[in-house]
Amino acid sequence: MATQQPPYRPASPDQISHEDDGNSVVMERRAQKIAPPPMYQVVMLNDDFTPMEFVIMVLQEFFSKDREQATQIMLKIHLDGRGVCGVYTRDIAATKVEQVLQAAQQAGHPLQAVSEPIE
């Protein structure tokens, strides 16, 4: 009759022997520095055909802006030719751009948005 051995369980750090037999190698723990992810700004571009009210609606719906903030951004887009709608990580910025483009296409407007890295 064979006896069963208990399953192998690695020793937890507090159970490992800390005796120094002269052959030990001690590794120093280094704090890891994790850089924040690169950020991207979503920029809407002006055109002569998209109604201002549609731009305000898009800013409220996809960028969670209140009516006043959306109006200010829309005016900046209208006067300067472009306006920053928000700053996000790369994937979220790409999703926001896609949402804007799809909404504009469904409404029949040529509104354009792009994401640009922030330096």
PDB file of all heavy atoms in Angstrom, residues 30-52:
ATOM      1  N   ARG A  30      13.580  47.009  -4.853  1.00  0.00           N
ATOM      2  CA  ARG A  30      13.569  48.352  -5.406  1.00  0.00           C
ATOM      3  C   ARG A  30      12.133  48.771  -5.671  1.00  0.00           C
ATOM      4  O   ARG A  30      11.349  47.989  -6.200  1.00  0.00           O
ATOM      5  CB  ARG A  30      14.347  48.406  -6.714  1.00  0.00           C
ATOM      6  CG  ARG A  30      15.813  48.131  -6.516  1.00  0.00           C
ATOM      7  CD  ARG A  30      16.566  48.290  -7.796  1.00  0.00           C
ATOM      8  NE  ARG A  30      17.963  47.924  -7.595  1.00  0.00           N
ATOM      9  CZ  ARG A  30      18.837  47.839  -8.544  1.00  0.00           C
ATOM     10  NH1 ARG A  30      18.479  48.085  -9.787  1.00  0.00           N
ATOM     11  NH2 ARG A  30      20.072  47.506  -8.286  1.00  0.00           N
ATOM     12  N   ALA A  31      11.834  49.976  -5.321  1.00  0.00           N
ATOM     13  CA  ALA A  31      10.486  50.498  -5.566  1.00  0.00           C
ATOM     14  C   ALA A  31      10.312  50.714  -7.072  1.00  0.00           C
ATOM     15  O   ALA A  31      11.193  51.261  -7.736  1.00  0.00           O
ATOM     16  CB  ALA A  31      10.285  51.811  -4.829  1.00  0.00           C
ATOM     17  N   GLN A  32       9.202  50.248  -7.580  1.00  0.00           N
ATOM     18  CA  GLN A  32       8.937  50.417  -9.009  1.00  0.00           C
ATOM     19  C   GLN A  32       8.268  51.759  -9.235  1.00  0.00           C
ATOM     20  O   GLN A  32       7.354  52.142  -8.508  1.00  0.00           O
ATOM     21  CB  GLN A  32       8.030  49.308  -9.522  1.00  0.00           C
ATOM     22  CG  GLN A  32       8.674  47.952  -9.491  1.00  0.00           C
ATOM     23  CD  GLN A  32       7.729  46.889 -10.032  1.00  0.00           C
ATOM     24  OE1 GLN A  32       6.551  47.117 -10.197  1.00  0.00           O
ATOM     25  NE2 GLN A  32       8.271  45.727 -10.309  1.00  0.00           N
ATOM     26  N   LYS A  33       8.743  52.443 -10.226  1.00  0.00           N
ATOM     27  CA  LYS A  33       8.134  53.711 -10.589  1.00  0.00           C
ATOM     28  C   LYS A  33       7.336  53.483 -11.855  1.00  0.00           C
ATOM     29  O   LYS A  33       7.887  53.141 -12.899  1.00  0.00           O
ATOM     30  CB  LYS A  33       9.197  54.777 -10.817  1.00  0.00           C
ATOM     31  CG  LYS A  33       9.954  55.131  -9.554  1.00  0.00           C
ATOM     32  CD  LYS A  33      10.965  56.203  -9.794  1.00  0.00           C
ATOM     33  CE  LYS A  33      11.723  56.487  -8.508  1.00  0.00           C
ATOM     34  NZ  LYS A  33      12.782  57.464  -8.709  1.00  0.00           N
ATOM     35  N   ILE A  34       6.036  53.651 -11.728  1.00  0.00           N
ATOM     36  CA  ILE A  34       5.157  53.436 -12.868  1.00  0.00           C
ATOM     37  C   ILE A  34       4.760  54.792 -13.422  1.00  0.00           C
ATOM     38  O   ILE A  34       4.211  55.629 -12.705  1.00  0.00           O
ATOM     39  CB  ILE A  34       3.911  52.636 -12.460  1.00  0.00           C
ATOM     40  CG1 ILE A  34       4.343  51.277 -11.924  1.00  0.00           C
ATOM     41  CG2 ILE A  34       2.962  52.486 -13.632  1.00  0.00           C
ATOM     42  CD1 ILE A  34       3.220  50.460 -11.350  1.00  0.00           C
ATOM     43  N   ALA A  35       5.043  54.990 -14.680  1.00  0.00           N
ATOM     44  CA  ALA A  35       4.700  56.261 -15.320  1.00  0.00           C
ATOM     45  C   ALA A  35       3.206  56.284 -15.632  1.00  0.00           C
ATOM     46  O   ALA A  35       2.621  55.250 -15.982  1.00  0.00           O
ATOM     47  CB  ALA A  35       5.495  56.417 -16.605  1.00  0.00           C
ATOM     48  N   PRO A  36       2.576  57.425 -15.509  1.00  0.00           N
ATOM     49  CA  PRO A  36       1.160  57.509 -15.868  1.00  0.00           C
ATOM     50  C   PRO A  36       1.002  57.304 -17.374  1.00  0.00           C
ATOM     51  O   PRO A  36       1.929  57.570 -18.144  1.00  0.00           O
ATOM     52  CB  PRO A  36       0.763  58.926 -15.456  1.00  0.00           C
ATOM     53  CG  PRO A  36       2.033  59.689 -15.402  1.00  0.00           C
ATOM     54  CD  PRO A  36       3.099  58.696 -15.049  1.00  0.00           C
ATOM     55  N   PRO A  37      -0.155  56.817 -17.810  1.00  0.00           N
ATOM     56  CA  PRO A  37      -0.339  56.577 -19.243  1.00  0.00           C
ATOM     57  C   PRO A  37      -0.332  57.894 -20.010  1.00  0.00           C
ATOM     58  O   PRO A  37      -0.709  58.942 -19.471  1.00  0.00           O
ATOM     59  CB  PRO A  37      -1.714  55.909 -19.322  1.00  0.00           C
ATOM     60  CG  PRO A  37      -2.419  56.370 -18.098  1.00  0.00           C
ATOM     61  CD  PRO A  37      -1.358  56.525 -17.047  1.00  0.00           C
ATOM     62  N   PRO A  38       0.098  57.868 -21.265  1.00  0.00           N
ATOM     63  CA  PRO A  38       0.066  59.092 -22.062  1.00  0.00           C
ATOM     64  C   PRO A  38      -1.382  59.540 -22.278  1.00  0.00           C
ATOM     65  O   PRO A  38      -2.278  58.709 -22.440  1.00  0.00           O
ATOM     66  CB  PRO A  38       0.725  58.697 -23.385  1.00  0.00           C
ATOM     67  CG  PRO A  38       0.686  57.219 -23.423  1.00  0.00           C
ATOM     68  CD  PRO A  38       0.630  56.738 -22.012  1.00  0.00           C
ATOM     69  N   MET A  39      -1.599  60.827 -22.257  1.00  0.00           N
ATOM     70  CA  MET A  39      -2.944  61.368 -22.388  1.00  0.00           C
ATOM     71  C   MET A  39      -3.148  61.951 -23.790  1.00  0.00           C
ATOM     72  O   MET A  39      -2.206  62.421 -24.419  1.00  0.00           O
ATOM     73  CB  MET A  39      -3.187  62.437 -21.322  1.00  0.00           C
ATOM     74  CG  MET A  39      -3.039  61.907 -19.903  1.00  0.00           C
ATOM     75  SD  MET A  39      -4.129  60.537 -19.504  1.00  0.00           S
ATOM     76  CE  MET A  39      -5.637  61.421 -19.198  1.00  0.00           C
ATOM     77  N   TYR A  40      -4.392  61.908 -24.221  1.00  0.00           N
ATOM     78  CA  TYR A  40      -4.771  62.408 -25.545  1.00  0.00           C
ATOM     79  C   TYR A  40      -5.942  63.369 -25.389  1.00  0.00           C
ATOM     80  O   TYR A  40      -6.829  63.143 -24.573  1.00  0.00           O
ATOM     81  CB  TYR A  40      -5.189  61.248 -26.450  1.00  0.00           C
ATOM     82  CG  TYR A  40      -4.036  60.375 -26.865  1.00  0.00           C
ATOM     83  CD1 TYR A  40      -3.470  59.468 -25.982  1.00  0.00           C
ATOM     84  CD2 TYR A  40      -3.495  60.464 -28.135  1.00  0.00           C
ATOM     85  CE1 TYR A  40      -2.400  58.683 -26.345  1.00  0.00           C
ATOM     86  CE2 TYR A  40      -2.427  59.679 -28.514  1.00  0.00           C
ATOM     87  CZ  TYR A  40      -1.887  58.785 -27.622  1.00  0.00           C
ATOM     88  OH  TYR A  40      -0.823  58.019 -27.989  1.00  0.00           O
ATOM     89  N   GLN A  41      -5.927  64.439 -26.185  1.00  0.00           N
ATOM     90  CA  GLN A  41      -7.046  65.365 -26.163  1.00  0.00           C
ATOM     91  C   GLN A  41      -7.927  65.105 -27.380  1.00  0.00           C
ATOM     92  O   GLN A  41      -7.438  64.828 -28.467  1.00  0.00           O
ATOM     93  CB  GLN A  41      -6.567  66.814 -26.132  1.00  0.00           C
ATOM     94  CG  GLN A  41      -5.717  67.238 -27.306  1.00  0.00           C
ATOM     95  CD  GLN A  41      -5.146  68.638 -27.121  1.00  0.00           C
ATOM     96  OE1 GLN A  41      -5.282  69.226 -26.063  1.00  0.00           O
ATOM     97  NE2 GLN A  41      -4.503  69.145 -28.151  1.00  0.00           N
ATOM     98  N   VAL A  42      -9.226  65.160 -27.157  1.00  0.00           N
ATOM     99  CA  VAL A  42     -10.184  65.013 -28.245  1.00  0.00           C
ATOM    100  C   VAL A  42     -10.501  66.419 -28.732  1.00  0.00           C
ATOM    101  O   VAL A  42     -10.898  67.285 -27.953  1.00  0.00           O
ATOM    102  CB  VAL A  42     -11.466  64.291 -27.787  1.00  0.00           C
ATOM    103  CG1 VAL A  42     -12.480  64.225 -28.919  1.00  0.00           C
ATOM    104  CG2 VAL A  42     -11.135  62.898 -27.291  1.00  0.00           C
ATOM    105  N   VAL A  43     -10.292  66.640 -30.032  1.00  0.00           N
ATOM    106  CA  VAL A  43     -10.470  67.954 -30.631  1.00  0.00           C
ATOM    107  C   VAL A  43     -11.552  67.863 -31.697  1.00  0.00           C
ATOM    108  O   VAL A  43     -11.505  66.985 -32.567  1.00  0.00           O
ATOM    109  CB  VAL A  43      -9.149  68.451 -31.261  1.00  0.00           C
ATOM    110  CG1 VAL A  43      -9.327  69.798 -31.927  1.00  0.00           C
ATOM    111  CG2 VAL A  43      -8.045  68.504 -30.226  1.00  0.00           C
ATOM    112  N   MET A  44     -12.529  68.766 -31.626  1.00  0.00           N
ATOM    113  CA  MET A  44     -13.546  68.869 -32.672  1.00  0.00           C
ATOM    114  C   MET A  44     -13.138  69.981 -33.624  1.00  0.00           C
ATOM    115  O   MET A  44     -12.622  71.018 -33.194  1.00  0.00           O
ATOM    116  CB  MET A  44     -14.921  69.183 -32.078  1.00  0.00           C
ATOM    117  CG  MET A  44     -15.766  67.968 -31.904  1.00  0.00           C
ATOM    118  SD  MET A  44     -17.471  68.409 -31.638  1.00  0.00           S
ATOM    119  CE  MET A  44     -17.705  67.626 -30.072  1.00  0.00           C
ATOM    120  N   LEU A  45     -13.381  69.747 -34.902  1.00  0.00           N
ATOM    121  CA  LEU A  45     -13.002  70.697 -35.941  1.00  0.00           C
ATOM    122  C   LEU A  45     -14.235  71.412 -36.492  1.00  0.00           C
ATOM    123  O   LEU A  45     -15.302  70.810 -36.635  1.00  0.00           O
ATOM    124  CB  LEU A  45     -12.268  69.963 -37.066  1.00  0.00           C
ATOM    125  CG  LEU A  45     -11.082  69.096 -36.615  1.00  0.00           C
ATOM    126  CD1 LEU A  45     -10.520  68.326 -37.790  1.00  0.00           C
ATOM    127  CD2 LEU A  45     -10.012  69.945 -35.955  1.00  0.00           C
ATOM    128  N   ASN A  46     -14.061  72.681 -36.797  1.00  0.00           N
ATOM    129  CA  ASN A  46     -15.163  73.485 -37.315  1.00  0.00           C
ATOM    130  C   ASN A  46     -15.454  73.135 -38.774  1.00  0.00           C
ATOM    131  O   ASN A  46     -14.562  72.771 -39.533  1.00  0.00           O
ATOM    132  CB  ASN A  46     -14.819  74.968 -37.210  1.00  0.00           C
ATOM    133  CG  ASN A  46     -16.000  75.858 -37.555  1.00  0.00           C
ATOM    134  OD1 ASN A  46     -17.122  75.569 -37.166  1.00  0.00           O
ATOM    135  ND2 ASN A  46     -15.742  76.930 -38.280  1.00  0.00           N
ATOM    136  N   ASP A  47     -16.712  73.239 -39.135  1.00  0.00           N
ATOM    137  CA  ASP A  47     -17.118  73.170 -40.536  1.00  0.00           C
ATOM    138  C   ASP A  47     -18.266  74.156 -40.705  1.00  0.00           C
ATOM    139  O   ASP A  47     -18.810  74.675 -39.744  1.00  0.00           O
ATOM    140  CB  ASP A  47     -17.520  71.745 -40.950  1.00  0.00           C
ATOM    141  CG  ASP A  47     -18.719  71.239 -40.190  1.00  0.00           C
ATOM    142  OD1 ASP A  47     -19.839  71.744 -40.430  1.00  0.00           O
ATOM    143  OD2 ASP A  47     -18.549  70.330 -39.348  1.00  0.00           O
ATOM    144  N   ASP A  48     -18.619  74.448 -41.944  1.00  0.00           N
ATOM    145  CA  ASP A  48     -19.648  75.456 -42.218  1.00  0.00           C
ATOM    146  C   ASP A  48     -21.052  74.873 -42.305  1.00  0.00           C
ATOM    147  O   ASP A  48     -21.983  75.605 -42.640  1.00  0.00           O
ATOM    148  CB  ASP A  48     -19.319  76.193 -43.519  1.00  0.00           C
ATOM    149  CG  ASP A  48     -18.047  77.014 -43.403  1.00  0.00           C
ATOM    150  OD1 ASP A  48     -17.722  77.437 -42.274  1.00  0.00           O
ATOM    151  OD2 ASP A  48     -17.371  77.221 -44.430  1.00  0.00           O
ATOM    152  N   PHE A  49     -21.231  73.593 -42.024  1.00  0.00           N
ATOM    153  CA  PHE A  49     -22.525  72.963 -42.256  1.00  0.00           C
ATOM    154  C   PHE A  49     -23.178  72.375 -41.012  1.00  0.00           C
ATOM    155  O   PHE A  49     -24.392  72.304 -40.938  1.00  0.00           O
ATOM    156  CB  PHE A  49     -22.383  71.865 -43.326  1.00  0.00           C
ATOM    157  CG  PHE A  49     -21.802  72.393 -44.607  1.00  0.00           C
ATOM    158  CD1 PHE A  49     -20.473  72.177 -44.911  1.00  0.00           C
ATOM    159  CD2 PHE A  49     -22.580  73.128 -45.492  1.00  0.00           C
ATOM    160  CE1 PHE A  49     -19.924  72.673 -46.086  1.00  0.00           C
ATOM    161  CE2 PHE A  49     -22.041  73.630 -46.657  1.00  0.00           C
ATOM    162  CZ  PHE A  49     -20.708  73.404 -46.954  1.00  0.00           C
ATOM    163  N   THR A  50     -22.395  71.931 -40.041  1.00  0.00           N
ATOM    164  CA  THR A  50     -22.960  71.323 -38.832  1.00  0.00           C
ATOM    165  C   THR A  50     -23.584  72.408 -37.960  1.00  0.00           C
ATOM    166  O   THR A  50     -22.924  73.386 -37.621  1.00  0.00           O
ATOM    167  CB  THR A  50     -21.870  70.595 -38.034  1.00  0.00           C
ATOM    168  OG1 THR A  50     -21.237  69.623 -38.880  1.00  0.00           O
ATOM    169  CG2 THR A  50     -22.455  69.888 -36.818  1.00  0.00           C
ATOM    170  N   PRO A  51     -24.858  72.246 -37.583  1.00  0.00           N
ATOM    171  CA  PRO A  51     -25.510  73.251 -36.730  1.00  0.00           C
ATOM    172  C   PRO A  51     -24.859  73.333 -35.346  1.00  0.00           C
ATOM    173  O   PRO A  51     -24.420  72.327 -34.782  1.00  0.00           O
ATOM    174  CB  PRO A  51     -26.954  72.740 -36.601  1.00  0.00           C
ATOM    175  CG  PRO A  51     -27.126  71.738 -37.684  1.00  0.00           C
ATOM    176  CD  PRO A  51     -25.782  71.184 -37.987  1.00  0.00           C
ATOM    177  N   MET A  52     -24.800  74.533 -34.823  1.00  0.00           N
ATOM    178  CA  MET A  52     -24.205  74.748 -33.500  1.00  0.00           C
ATOM    179  C   MET A  52     -24.940  73.948 -32.433  1.00  0.00           C
ATOM    180  O   MET A  52     -24.328  73.430 -31.504  1.00  0.00           O
ATOM    181  CB  MET A  52     -24.221  76.236 -33.150  1.00  0.00           C
ATOM    182  CG  MET A  52     -23.321  77.073 -34.009  1.00  0.00           C
ATOM    183  SD  MET A  52     -23.445  78.799 -33.521  1.00  0.00           S
ATOM    184  CE  MET A  52     -22.306  79.543 -34.658  1.00  0.00           C
TER     185      MET A  52
END
